[in-house]
Amino acid sequence: MEGAWSACERRVSVKALMDCARAQYLLASALDGMAEAQRDNRLLSRAITAYLQLLKNNERLSDTKLVMVANRAIDRIKFRGVYLNAEPIYRLLIRRFPNEVYYRNNLTVCFLMANRVDLAEEVLKETLRLWPDDRVALGHYGFILKNTHNKHEEAVEYLQRALEHESGPANEPRFYYHLGDALLLLGRLKEAEEVHKRGAALGHFLSPSQRSLYNVDRLKGRPWWPIEDTPYVQLARALEKSWREILKEALAAKALYEKEKEGLSEKGWSQLDLFVRGQEIPGRCKTAPVTCSIVRSEPAAAGCRRGQVKFSAMEAATRVRPHVGPTNCRLRMHLGLSNTQNTFIRVDKEIRQWEVGKVFIFDDSFEHEVWHNGTSPRLVLIVDVWHPDLTAKERRSLPAI
Ligand code: LMR
Ligand code: MN
């Protein structure tokens, strides 16, 4: 209780106490306390091992104590980012509390966080066999049907059932988001709009059209930003001034472009990242020195940990379906580079066109879509910058996206 962690650790680590549950608990707590005080991940790993050891002998723990220890151990495992290590703890909780669907759903989430959709799906099938109406499980199953199996109609059915009531544990922003998105994918626009309105009314979205999920609530939201209303006039003018050199760099690096990965367009859209999450892709700026040096002159661009800097190429006849970005913490600058005729972008309700050598700025947390009715590949430079309303502290401390 006095925080004398190492003294505690020494006392409880003696051989004679090896089989004593209370000593094991104190050992784990002491290591945990020490790890936290010294911010030491090796100590934390030892604490986790000690918790797991204690949980192995769980018959001796009361229900209350078991839940307490399990929750702390899971919390520490998540903090370390090794989600799969929490699996045996969830299995144990499921065995001890077989009538609680809650622990099964948390195991599902744990597998999803670990990118093990296959394992999540296994748990979900069993959960839904035992609790066919559990809304959290229905929501997750709908999410997997949509995102992993591309079964959008079925996904809609599951997600709709998950959201039949407007309260309870399934009433989550991401289920509203994916239900609306699945409906958009199916072209059921009226229904999508209804879901987006409902989600916004419940506070899950900033507004029906601004549906990013990682937000700072007080930030001003507007779809299109006049450059003069931002602190990024200098950056915009510098990009415009050098557009020819930037175009040259964009073309010279063509072999490195990668297909867009989020499934927003079937084909025809490729990109080359220069900065991601506020960091240069190692060595990438050698291929685009002028572009990078201009970006580096604005810390809110080069250091935007919730955005990217990238070249974006789009073949003629490409269509990017309506979608939203993940966060309202960035604004997105585009510099038109080539073949912008007959290419269009809609953000919220307003459609605009790129112009070669010109910058515009929009907020991609609002619904937007792109279509290319021209004949040659369109090229633009995308530069994400921190939303101007964010404080210096927020720019330093918000988790990267
Ligand atoms: C988007 O951000 O979705 C598009 O505007 C990207 C692009 O290249 O136009
Ligand atoms: Mn987008």
Side-chain angles (χ1 to χ4, degrees), residues 168-229:
N171 184 36
E172 277 196 52
R174 58 202 172 93
F175 291 149
Y176 276 86
Y177 175 92
H178 287 292
L179 175 55
D181 197 40
L183 289 165
L184 283 179
L185 275 162
L186 290 165
R188 290 157 64 175
L189 305 187
K190 265 262 139 315
E191 288 167 272
E193 199 183 323
E194 283 312 310
V195 169
H196 295 152
K197 277 192 192 149
R198 230 172 89 198
L202 289 164
H204 297 323
F205 304 134
L206 293 163
S207 77
S209 56
Q210 195 181 16
R211 300 191 298 276
S212 48
L213 295 181
Y214 300 89
N215 303 316
V216 169
D217 284 351
R218 61 161 213 291
L219 305 182
K220 181 183 173 71
R222 75 196 273 197
W224 289 100
W225 284 69
I227 296 171
E228 290 71 26
D229 289 4

Side-chain angles (χ1 to χ4, degrees), residues 264 269 323 332 364 368:
L264 295 171
W269 184 13
H323 65 283
R332 184 152 267 198
D364 80 324
H368 56 285

Side-chain angles (χ1 to χ4, degrees), residues 270-334:
S270 59
Q271 302 186 324
L272 178 66
D273 292 328
L274 301 177
F275 289 75
V276 170
R277 299 167 157 227
Q279 302 249 324
E280 182 198 333
I281 302 280
R284 204 40 76 72
C285 281
K286 280 198 212 93
T287 62
V290 174
T291 311
C292 284
S293 83
I294 298 173
V295 168
R296 283 217 178 85
S297 71
E298 174 51 72
C304 181
R305 287 179 303 97
R306 291 195 156 191
Q308 305 104 45
V309 176
K310 58 194 177 187
F311 295 121
S312 176
M314 219 171 264
E315 304 289 330
T318 300
R319 226 196 137 88
V320 178
R321 68 186 183 83
H323 65 283
V324 300
T327 175
N328 75 337
C329 294
R330 69 187 186 209
L331 301 181
R332 184 152 267 198
M333 304 178 97
H334 277 204

Side-chain angles (χ1 to χ4, degrees), residues 49-151:
T49 308
Y51 280 126
L52 289 169
Q53 187 59 37
L54 168 62
L55 288 168
K56 258 193 196 150
N57 302 322
N58 64 85
E59 320 78 47
R60 277 179 273 170
L61 298 177
S62 68
D63 282 0
T64 324
K65 192 85 182 185
L66 173 71
V67 169
M68 195 189 88
V69 173
N71 281 340
R72 180 63 189 172
I74 289 168
D75 178 82
R76 296 295 79 195
I77 287 170
K78 284 188 182 162
F79 178 81
R80 281 292 265 146
V82 277
Y83 295 97
L84 287 181
N85 288 353
E87 177 182 357
I89 308 182
Y90 285 119
R91 298 273 184 212
L92 171 63
L93 289 166
I94 291 168
R95 246 180 290 132
R96 181 76 82 97
F97 306 102
N99 299 321
E100 294 271 5
V101 66
Y102 175 78
Y103 296 116
R104 286 176 193 269
N105 284 331
N106 284 354
L107 179 58
T108 300
V109 173
C110 169
F111 282 143
L112 288 176
M113 303 281 274
N115 269 325
R116 290 299 304 265
V117 178
D118 54 331
L119 298 176
E121 200 170 341
E122 245 170 65
V123 178
L124 275 170
K125 282 189 176 146
E126 177 72 357
T127 309
L128 285 169
R129 195 174 62 75
L130 298 165
W131 287 271
D133 298 317
D134 183 75
R135 302 215 304 274
V136 176
L138 290 167
H140 282 126
Y141 201 62
F143 166 79
I144 290 176
L145 283 170
K146 166 180 175 270
N147 282 24
T148 306
H149 302 303
N150 283 320
K151 293 188 177 169

